[in-house]
Amino acid sequence: MNTMTDTLNQLRKYGLTSNIDLENKIQKEAISRQKTLDKIKDIEKDLNEIYTTIEALNILNLNKSIYEIYKSNSKAKEFYDEYKTQIITYEKSITTLDKNKHKNLSINELSNIYDEYKSKKDVLMVEYFNKNILIYDLTKLRKNTDKYIDNELNY
């Protein structure tokens, strides 16, 4: 009997008056949770792109003088052999930046944007976590409601 009372109180807590309302609420929350997850994934893509840009800019800064020497005397095979890794990494970084929408920003600007996206992601993660708890509670409530209805039908 206590479970029935608790179940009815929980239904009222969420403003639900029927099983149909409960099912609709679960579906609505599941859709909302998926949209939140999609936003998190989009932000993660942006974070990865910003991180890649920062990394490429750092590589360019570190290897710029080596690459300039190489370009000024590209026939010096010994120099190329000695600095091959840095030269190839520099060229890959240039290619990466050419494809990147953040290529014209400084590392500090990118770091600030990264922090903003990270904060947004953190907020969405909390929201996603809370939606999971709500869906879990609503699903548990549905099970209790089904049990209550089954017991009523068996009497």
Side-chain angles (χ1 to χ4, degrees), residues 46 49-58 60-61 92-110 113:
D46 288 337
E49 187 174 325
I50 292 168
Y51 180 82
T52 301
T53 305
I54 290 172
E55 196 173 65
L57 288 171
N58 277 328
L60 291 180
N61 289 337
K92 284 184 180 179
S93 294
I94 290 173
T95 304
T96 299
L97 288 175
D98 284 343
K99 299 175 188 172
N100 197 300
K101 66 182 178 186
H102 301 289
K103 64 184 171 190
N104 295 325
L105 299 174
S106 71
I107 292 176
N108 285 338
E109 291 169 323
L110 289 168
I113 293 170

mmCIF file of all heavy atoms in Angstrom, residues 46 49-58 60-61 92-110 113:
data_model
loop_
_atom_site.group_PDB
_atom_site.id
_atom_site.type_symbol
_atom_site.label_atom_id
_atom_site.label_comp_id
_atom_site.label_asym_id
_atom_site.label_seq_id
_atom_site.Cartn_x
_atom_site.Cartn_y
_atom_site.Cartn_z
ATOM 1 N N ASP A 46 34.323 20.803 -31.966
ATOM 2 C CA ASP A 46 34.933 22.137 -31.972
ATOM 3 C C ASP A 46 36.169 22.179 -31.075
ATOM 4 O O ASP A 46 37.189 22.777 -31.441
ATOM 5 C CB ASP A 46 33.927 23.200 -31.526
ATOM 6 C CG ASP A 46 32.856 23.476 -32.566
ATOM 7 O OD1 ASP A 46 33.102 23.205 -33.760
ATOM 8 O OD2 ASP A 46 31.774 23.966 -32.180
ATOM 9 N N GLU A 49 39.009 20.533 -32.837
ATOM 10 C CA GLU A 49 39.522 21.379 -33.913
ATOM 11 C C GLU A 49 40.380 22.517 -33.359
ATOM 12 O O GLU A 49 41.452 22.825 -33.898
ATOM 13 C CB GLU A 49 38.372 21.942 -34.742
ATOM 14 C CG GLU A 49 38.837 22.688 -35.969
ATOM 15 C CD GLU A 49 37.695 23.121 -36.867
ATOM 16 O OE1 GLU A 49 36.701 22.392 -36.984
ATOM 17 O OE2 GLU A 49 37.820 24.203 -37.467
ATOM 18 N N ILE A 50 39.921 23.115 -32.280
ATOM 19 C CA ILE A 50 40.690 24.199 -31.658
ATOM 20 C C ILE A 50 42.020 23.660 -31.120
ATOM 21 O O ILE A 50 43.074 24.271 -31.303
ATOM 22 C CB ILE A 50 39.877 24.885 -30.541
ATOM 23 C CG1 ILE A 50 38.698 25.640 -31.156
ATOM 24 C CG2 ILE A 50 40.746 25.824 -29.720
ATOM 25 C CD1 ILE A 50 37.671 26.107 -30.149
ATOM 26 N N TYR A 51 41.958 22.502 -30.479
ATOM 27 C CA TYR A 51 43.186 21.892 -29.952
ATOM 28 C C TYR A 51 44.177 21.605 -31.083
ATOM 29 O O TYR A 51 45.371 21.879 -30.964
ATOM 30 C CB TYR A 51 42.849 20.607 -29.188
ATOM 31 C CG TYR A 51 44.059 19.932 -28.611
ATOM 32 C CD1 TYR A 51 44.608 20.361 -27.408
ATOM 33 C CD2 TYR A 51 44.684 18.876 -29.276
ATOM 34 C CE1 TYR A 51 45.736 19.762 -26.877
ATOM 35 C CE2 TYR A 51 45.808 18.276 -28.763
ATOM 36 C CZ TYR A 51 46.330 18.714 -27.558
ATOM 37 O OH TYR A 51 47.450 18.117 -27.052
ATOM 38 N N THR A 52 43.677 21.068 -32.184
ATOM 39 C CA THR A 52 44.525 20.775 -33.341
ATOM 40 C C THR A 52 45.145 22.058 -33.893
ATOM 41 O O THR A 52 46.322 22.078 -34.267
ATOM 42 C CB THR A 52 43.696 20.070 -34.438
ATOM 43 O OG1 THR A 52 43.160 18.868 -33.893
ATOM 44 C CG2 THR A 52 44.536 19.753 -35.650
ATOM 45 N N THR A 53 44.376 23.119 -33.920
ATOM 46 C CA THR A 53 44.879 24.403 -34.401
ATOM 47 C C THR A 53 45.986 24.930 -33.495
ATOM 48 O O THR A 53 47.038 25.381 -33.975
ATOM 49 C CB THR A 53 43.736 25.438 -34.488
ATOM 50 O OG1 THR A 53 42.690 24.909 -35.291
ATOM 51 C CG2 THR A 53 44.213 26.747 -35.068
ATOM 52 N N ILE A 54 45.755 24.866 -32.192
ATOM 53 C CA ILE A 54 46.777 25.330 -31.238
ATOM 54 C C ILE A 54 48.052 24.516 -31.400
ATOM 55 O O ILE A 54 49.160 25.062 -31.435
ATOM 56 C CB ILE A 54 46.244 25.249 -29.784
ATOM 57 C CG1 ILE A 54 45.153 26.298 -29.558
ATOM 58 C CG2 ILE A 54 47.374 25.440 -28.772
ATOM 59 C CD1 ILE A 54 44.434 26.170 -28.228
ATOM 60 N N GLU A 55 47.889 23.225 -31.525
ATOM 61 C CA GLU A 55 49.041 22.345 -31.706
ATOM 62 C C GLU A 55 49.802 22.700 -32.997
ATOM 63 O O GLU A 55 51.038 22.780 -33.002
ATOM 64 C CB GLU A 55 48.552 20.900 -31.743
ATOM 65 C CG GLU A 55 49.615 19.870 -31.535
ATOM 66 C CD GLU A 55 49.007 18.490 -31.410
ATOM 67 O OE1 GLU A 55 48.421 18.011 -32.400
ATOM 68 O OE2 GLU A 55 49.129 17.893 -30.329
ATOM 69 N N ALA A 56 49.077 22.908 -34.075
ATOM 70 C CA ALA A 56 49.714 23.257 -35.353
ATOM 71 C C ALA A 56 50.440 24.599 -35.259
ATOM 72 O O ALA A 56 51.559 24.748 -35.776
ATOM 73 C CB ALA A 56 48.665 23.286 -36.466
ATOM 74 N N LEU A 57 49.822 25.571 -34.600
ATOM 75 C CA LEU A 57 50.468 26.879 -34.447
ATOM 76 C C LEU A 57 51.747 26.771 -33.616
ATOM 77 O O LEU A 57 52.762 27.418 -33.921
ATOM 78 C CB LEU A 57 49.504 27.881 -33.816
ATOM 79 C CG LEU A 57 48.372 28.371 -34.717
ATOM 80 C CD1 LEU A 57 47.363 29.186 -33.918
ATOM 81 C CD2 LEU A 57 48.913 29.175 -35.891
ATOM 82 N N ASN A 58 51.704 25.955 -32.580
ATOM 83 C CA ASN A 58 52.903 25.740 -31.767
ATOM 84 C C ASN A 58 54.022 25.107 -32.589
ATOM 85 O O ASN A 58 55.188 25.505 -32.478
ATOM 86 C CB ASN A 58 52.597 24.866 -30.551
ATOM 87 C CG ASN A 58 52.022 25.654 -29.404
ATOM 88 O OD1 ASN A 58 52.347 26.822 -29.218
ATOM 89 N ND2 ASN A 58 51.159 25.027 -28.637
ATOM 90 N N LEU A 60 54.420 25.338 -35.814
ATOM 91 C CA LEU A 60 54.928 26.359 -36.737
ATOM 92 C C LEU A 60 55.894 27.303 -36.024
ATOM 93 O O LEU A 60 56.945 27.659 -36.565
ATOM 94 C CB LEU A 60 53.778 27.149 -37.357
ATOM 95 C CG LEU A 60 52.877 26.404 -38.334
ATOM 96 C CD1 LEU A 60 51.791 27.327 -38.867
ATOM 97 C CD2 LEU A 60 53.666 25.790 -39.476
ATOM 98 N N ASN A 61 55.536 27.721 -34.826
ATOM 99 C CA ASN A 61 56.408 28.620 -34.070
ATOM 100 C C ASN A 61 57.740 27.962 -33.723
ATOM 101 O O ASN A 61 58.791 28.593 -33.812
ATOM 102 C CB ASN A 61 55.716 29.090 -32.788
ATOM 103 C CG ASN A 61 54.586 30.057 -33.055
ATOM 104 O OD1 ASN A 61 54.550 30.716 -34.085
ATOM 105 N ND2 ASN A 61 53.649 30.149 -32.125
ATOM 106 N N LYS A 92 53.051 19.537 -42.544
ATOM 107 C CA LYS A 92 51.747 18.966 -42.161
ATOM 108 C C LYS A 92 50.922 19.978 -41.374
ATOM 109 O O LYS A 92 49.701 20.060 -41.531
ATOM 110 C CB LYS A 92 51.936 17.687 -41.347
ATOM 111 C CG LYS A 92 52.326 16.494 -42.169
ATOM 112 C CD LYS A 92 52.404 15.248 -41.315
ATOM 113 C CE LYS A 92 52.802 14.049 -42.154
ATOM 114 N NZ LYS A 92 52.917 12.829 -41.338
ATOM 115 N N SER A 93 51.585 20.759 -40.534
ATOM 116 C CA SER A 93 50.877 21.783 -39.755
ATOM 117 C C SER A 93 50.293 22.860 -40.664
ATOM 118 O O SER A 93 49.182 23.337 -40.435
ATOM 119 C CB SER A 93 51.818 22.417 -38.729
ATOM 120 O OG SER A 93 52.200 21.461 -37.778
ATOM 121 N N ILE A 94 51.044 23.229 -41.692
ATOM 122 C CA ILE A 94 50.533 24.210 -42.665
ATOM 123 C C ILE A 94 49.280 23.652 -43.348
ATOM 124 O O ILE A 94 48.272 24.353 -43.490
ATOM 125 C CB ILE A 94 51.616 24.576 -43.703
ATOM 126 C CG1 ILE A 94 52.706 25.401 -43.037
ATOM 127 C CG2 ILE A 94 51.017 25.343 -44.875
ATOM 128 C CD1 ILE A 94 53.911 25.669 -43.921
ATOM 129 N N THR A 95 49.346 22.399 -43.769
ATOM 130 C CA THR A 95 48.194 21.757 -44.413
ATOM 131 C C THR A 95 46.996 21.706 -43.464
ATOM 132 O O THR A 95 45.861 21.985 -43.854
ATOM 133 C CB THR A 95 48.566 20.319 -44.858
ATOM 134 O OG1 THR A 95 49.704 20.396 -45.706
ATOM 135 C CG2 THR A 95 47.420 19.658 -45.580
ATOM 136 N N THR A 96 47.255 21.357 -42.212
ATOM 137 C CA THR A 96 46.186 21.300 -41.209
ATOM 138 C C THR A 96 45.534 22.664 -41.035
ATOM 139 O O THR A 96 44.310 22.780 -40.990
ATOM 140 C CB THR A 96 46.750 20.820 -39.853
ATOM 141 O OG1 THR A 96 47.295 19.521 -40.018
ATOM 142 C CG2 THR A 96 45.679 20.795 -38.779
ATOM 143 N N LEU A 97 46.341 23.703 -40.953
ATOM 144 C CA LEU A 97 45.800 25.055 -40.762
ATOM 145 C C LEU A 97 45.036 25.542 -41.983
ATOM 146 O O LEU A 97 44.073 26.298 -41.844
ATOM 147 C CB LEU A 97 46.919 26.037 -40.414
ATOM 148 C CG LEU A 97 47.490 25.886 -39.007
ATOM 149 C CD1 LEU A 97 48.673 26.812 -38.820
ATOM 150 C CD2 LEU A 97 46.427 26.155 -37.960
ATOM 151 N N ASP A 98 45.449 25.125 -43.158
ATOM 152 C CA ASP A 98 44.728 25.539 -44.365
ATOM 153 C C ASP A 98 43.288 25.050 -44.355
ATOM 154 O O ASP A 98 42.400 25.710 -44.886
ATOM 155 C CB ASP A 98 45.440 25.014 -45.625
ATOM 156 C CG ASP A 98 46.691 25.814 -45.947
ATOM 157 O OD1 ASP A 98 46.835 26.947 -45.425
ATOM 158 O OD2 ASP A 98 47.527 25.305 -46.722
ATOM 159 N N LYS A 99 43.049 23.910 -43.737
ATOM 160 C CA LYS A 99 41.707 23.323 -43.687
ATOM 161 C C LYS A 99 40.900 23.807 -42.483
ATOM 162 O O LYS A 99 39.739 23.447 -42.348
ATOM 163 C CB LYS A 99 41.814 21.797 -43.609
ATOM 164 C CG LYS A 99 42.508 21.158 -44.778
ATOM 165 C CD LYS A 99 42.670 19.674 -44.528
ATOM 166 C CE LYS A 99 43.541 19.019 -45.575
ATOM 167 N NZ LYS A 99 43.851 17.633 -45.241
ATOM 168 N N ASN A 100 41.507 24.604 -41.641
ATOM 169 C CA ASN A 100 40.916 24.931 -40.349
ATOM 170 C C ASN A 100 40.274 26.315 -40.343
ATOM 171 O O ASN A 100 40.872 27.278 -40.834
ATOM 172 C CB ASN A 100 42.021 24.847 -39.292
ATOM 173 C CG ASN A 100 41.489 24.752 -37.909
ATOM 174 O OD1 ASN A 100 40.783 25.637 -37.472
ATOM 175 N ND2 ASN A 100 41.827 23.691 -37.214
ATOM 176 N N LYS A 101 39.089 26.407 -39.744
ATOM 177 C CA LYS A 101 38.389 27.699 -39.715
ATOM 178 C C LYS A 101 38.969 28.671 -38.682
ATOM 179 O O LYS A 101 38.673 29.848 -38.709
ATOM 180 C CB LYS A 101 36.897 27.489 -39.452
ATOM 181 C CG LYS A 101 36.558 26.934 -38.080
ATOM 182 C CD LYS A 101 35.067 26.719 -37.920
ATOM 183 C CE LYS A 101 34.737 26.118 -36.572
ATOM 184 N NZ LYS A 101 33.348 25.777 -36.443
ATOM 185 N N HIS A 102 39.792 28.169 -37.761
ATOM 186 C CA HIS A 102 40.362 29.015 -36.707
ATOM 187 C C HIS A 102 41.791 29.459 -37.013
ATOM 188 O O HIS A 102 42.476 29.979 -36.134
ATOM 189 C CB HIS A 102 40.371 28.262 -35.371
ATOM 190 C CG HIS A 102 39.026 27.829 -34.908
ATOM 191 N ND1 HIS A 102 38.077 28.712 -34.454
ATOM 192 C CD2 HIS A 102 38.454 26.604 -34.832
ATOM 193 C CE1 HIS A 102 36.987 28.050 -34.113
ATOM 194 N NE2 HIS A 102 37.183 26.774 -34.343
ATOM 195 N N LYS A 103 42.243 29.279 -38.223
ATOM 196 C CA LYS A 103 43.657 29.464 -38.557
ATOM 197 C C LYS A 103 44.156 30.896 -38.383
ATOM 198 O O LYS A 103 45.342 31.119 -38.207
ATOM 199 C CB LYS A 103 43.932 28.987 -39.972
ATOM 200 C CG LYS A 103 43.224 29.774 -41.055
ATOM 201 C CD LYS A 103 43.487 29.173 -42.404
ATOM 202 C CE LYS A 103 42.605 29.807 -43.459
ATOM 203 N NZ LYS A 103 42.680 29.091 -44.710
ATOM 204 N N ASN A 104 43.278 31.877 -38.405
ATOM 205 C CA ASN A 104 43.712 33.277 -38.333
ATOM 206 C C ASN A 104 43.722 33.834 -36.911
ATOM 207 O O ASN A 104 43.945 35.025 -36.718
ATOM 208 C CB ASN A 104 42.822 34.154 -39.218
ATOM 209 C CG ASN A 104 42.964 33.799 -40.686
ATOM 210 O OD1 ASN A 104 44.046 33.437 -41.136
ATOM 211 N ND2 ASN A 104 41.877 33.872 -41.416
ATOM 212 N N LEU A 105 43.499 32.987 -35.936
ATOM 213 C CA LEU A 105 43.470 33.440 -34.550
ATOM 214 C C LEU A 105 44.795 33.127 -33.857
ATOM 215 O O LEU A 105 45.498 32.185 -34.230
ATOM 216 C CB LEU A 105 42.325 32.757 -33.803
ATOM 217 C CG LEU A 105 40.914 33.019 -34.347
ATOM 218 C CD1 LEU A 105 39.892 32.175 -33.609
ATOM 219 C CD2 LEU A 105 40.563 34.492 -34.234
ATOM 220 N N SER A 106 45.088 33.904 -32.825
ATOM 221 C CA SER A 106 46.312 33.649 -32.056
ATOM 222 C C SER A 106 46.064 32.502 -31.071
ATOM 223 O O SER A 106 44.917 32.114 -30.810
ATOM 224 C CB SER A 106 46.716 34.905 -31.285
ATOM 225 O OG SER A 106 45.810 35.130 -30.216
ATOM 226 N N ILE A 107 47.147 32.006 -30.518
ATOM 227 C CA ILE A 107 47.033 30.911 -29.544
ATOM 228 C C ILE A 107 46.246 31.373 -28.323
ATOM 229 O O ILE A 107 45.414 30.625 -27.792
ATOM 230 C CB ILE A 107 48.432 30.375 -29.165
ATOM 231 C CG1 ILE A 107 49.044 29.669 -30.375
ATOM 232 C CG2 ILE A 107 48.348 29.437 -27.965
ATOM 233 C CD1 ILE A 107 50.453 29.181 -30.179
ATOM 234 N N ASN A 108 46.456 32.605 -27.881
ATOM 235 C CA ASN A 108 45.704 33.119 -26.725
ATOM 236 C C ASN A 108 44.210 33.205 -27.023
ATOM 237 O O ASN A 108 43.379 32.851 -26.187
ATOM 238 C CB ASN A 108 46.228 34.494 -26.303
ATOM 239 C CG ASN A 108 47.555 34.401 -25.585
ATOM 240 O OD1 ASN A 108 47.913 33.356 -25.042
ATOM 241 N ND2 ASN A 108 48.300 35.499 -25.581
ATOM 242 N N GLU A 109 43.872 33.692 -28.206
ATOM 243 C CA GLU A 109 42.457 33.767 -28.592
ATOM 244 C C GLU A 109 41.854 32.368 -28.661
ATOM 245 O O GLU A 109 40.733 32.142 -28.186
ATOM 246 C CB GLU A 109 42.306 34.466 -29.947
ATOM 247 C CG GLU A 109 42.624 35.946 -29.917
ATOM 248 C CD GLU A 109 42.716 36.553 -31.307
ATOM 249 O OE1 GLU A 109 43.213 35.889 -32.239
ATOM 250 O OE2 GLU A 109 42.278 37.714 -31.448
ATOM 251 N N LEU A 110 42.592 31.444 -29.227
ATOM 252 C CA LEU A 110 42.105 30.062 -29.313
ATOM 253 C C LEU A 110 41.941 29.445 -27.933
ATOM 254 O O LEU A 110 40.971 28.721 -27.684
ATOM 255 C CB LEU A 110 43.060 29.218 -30.156
ATOM 256 C CG LEU A 110 43.059 29.524 -31.642
ATOM 257 C CD1 LEU A 110 44.231 28.843 -32.336
ATOM 258 C CD2 LEU A 110 41.751 29.099 -32.278
ATOM 259 N N ILE A 113 38.730 30.774 -26.493
ATOM 260 C CA ILE A 113 37.578 30.120 -27.127
ATOM 261 C C ILE A 113 37.449 28.687 -26.613
ATOM 262 O O ILE A 113 36.343 28.215 -26.311
ATOM 263 C CB ILE A 113 37.716 30.140 -28.665
ATOM 264 C CG1 ILE A 113 37.624 31.579 -29.173
ATOM 265 C CG2 ILE A 113 36.646 29.279 -29.318
ATOM 266 C CD1 ILE A 113 37.984 31.736 -30.645
#
